[in-house]
Amino acid sequence: MTYIVETMPVRQGHRPLAGLWHKLSLAFAFRKRNRMPRLQPDELSDHLKRDLGFLDGRG
């Protein structure tokens, strides 16, 4: 399959509080402790490994 994506720059309106919200989100980023568990390929079935590309022989 081939996908052709055409992008156009979108003009952002002037948002004076955007910088403040960004800084606040960085300041409170330490509170995000419930992250998703990492994928363990050894625990997957061979069917899922094949579908995800782990058994394609390239590495």
Side-chain angles (χ1 to χ4, degrees), residues 41-55:
D42 298 334
E43 298 176 5
L44 297 175
S45 69
D46 286 341
H47 295 287
L48 281 174
K49 287 180 191 177
R50 185 196 64 223
D51 292 343
L52 293 174
F54 290 113
L55 295 178

Side-chain angles (χ1 to χ4, degrees), residues 14-49:
H14 181 66
R15 299 181 308 194
L17 293 178
L20 175 67
W21 289 119
H22 177 70
K23 289 177 184 175
L24 283 174
S25 69
L26 292 176
F28 291 105
F30 67 91
R31 300 184 77 184
K32 295 181 183 178
R33 296 287 182 206
N34 51 355
R35 295 184 179 182
M36 296 293 292
R38 291 188 171 263
L39 176 67
Q40 299 294 331
D42 298 334
E43 298 176 5
L44 297 175
S45 69
D46 286 341
H47 295 287
L48 281 174
K49 287 180 191 177

